[in-house]
């Protein structure tokens, strides 16, 4: 898996660019929301990792989300 960027909807109506990377067999996920900046497992990371396509800002990104999963 290459580096994948997905835009997740925020509860305030904005978006967050969530990044997924494979580094040596480990999945690294970064979200620039308040919780994500501190390395916490935020709702954007959790919902995307669970395959929740409803949080995607652009539904055209659904195939990339399936690749992450």
């Amino acid at each position: 898996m290459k580096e994948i960027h997905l835009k997740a909807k925020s509860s305030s109506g904005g978006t967050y660019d969530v990044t997924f990377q494979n580094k040596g067999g480990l999945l690294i996920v970064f979200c620039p929301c308040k919780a994500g900046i501190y390395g916490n497992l935020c709702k954007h990371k959790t919902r995307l990792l669970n395959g929740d396509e409803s949080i995607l800002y652009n539904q055209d990104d659904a195939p990339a989300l399936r690749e992450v999963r």
Side-chain angles (χ1 to χ4, degrees):
M1 172 180 77
K2 60 188 179 299
E3 184 171 285
I4 295 177
H5 297 270
L6 297 173
K7 286 207 179 292
K9 297 177 200 172
S10 74
S11 55
S12 65
T15 62
Y16 291 110
D17 187 20
V18 183
T19 305
F20 297 86
Q21 297 175 316
N22 182 339
K23 291 207 175 185
L26 294 174
L27 180 63
I28 308 296
V29 186
F30 176 77
C31 180
C33 72
K34 244 181 192 177
I37 288 174
Y38 294 106
N40 295 318
L41 191 57
C42 66
K43 65 182 175 183
H44 313 104
K45 293 177 189 178
T46 303
R47 288 179 64 186
L48 288 170
L49 287 169
N50 284 324
D52 184 355
E53 294 180 11
S54 69
I55 197 170
L56 289 172
Y57 177 74
N58 183 348
Q59 290 302 310
D60 292 338
D61 288 339
L65 176 57
R66 288 185 212 114
E67 183 180 342
V68 167
R69 295 203 64 232

